[in-house]
Amino acid sequence: MVKLRLKRCGRKQRIVAIDVRSRREGRDLRKVGFYDPITNQTYLNVPAILYFLEKGAQPTGTVQDILKKAEVFKELCPNQAKFN
């Protein structure tokens, strides 16, 4: 199972698609954005995030909050509105 979760990278945190069995700092499948909690700045690769969500990836709680704030879930198909 694939999850979208945060991975530490200096003071910033990367949002990555990663296998659920790997460690937090383990090898990721793809980097899909970053989040800087100090300046509350985000960069999201929305097409990549939507691709993983459509394939069944589950975001963690914090990543889900970041994606809700960026209104990424509104771009999903109406039949996949389970994250709203």
Side-chain angles (χ1 to χ4, degrees):
M1 179 178 177
V2 176
K3 281 204 174 243
L4 295 175
R5 66 182 183 197
L6 294 173
K7 180 178 180 180
R8 296 193 64 137
C9 181
R11 74 175 194 170
K12 296 181 183 177
Q13 296 184 356
R14 290 191 187 270
I15 300 172
V16 296
I18 194 166
D19 186 24
V20 88
R21 294 170 292 194
S22 12
R23 302 174 308 172
R24 181 188 70 193
E25 303 303 322
R27 184 172 178 197
D28 51 65
L29 300 173
R30 186 165 181 192
K31 297 172 181 72
V32 295
F34 76 84
Y35 170 64
D36 188 354
I38 295 172
T39 61
N40 202 19
Q41 183 181 22
T42 60
Y43 168 77
L44 302 173
N45 184 352
V46 177
I49 292 171
L50 291 176
Y51 169 78
F52 282 108
L53 288 175
E54 288 171 356
K55 295 295 180 182
Q58 298 293 314
T60 59
T62 307
V63 172
Q64 186 172 349
D65 292 342
I66 293 169
L67 296 179
K68 276 185 185 176
K69 190 181 286 188
E71 298 181 349
V72 172
F73 294 122
K74 290 184 179 178
E75 298 179 27
L76 279 175
C77 298
N79 60 354
Q80 294 185 357
K82 61 184 174 186
F83 295 110
N84 287 337

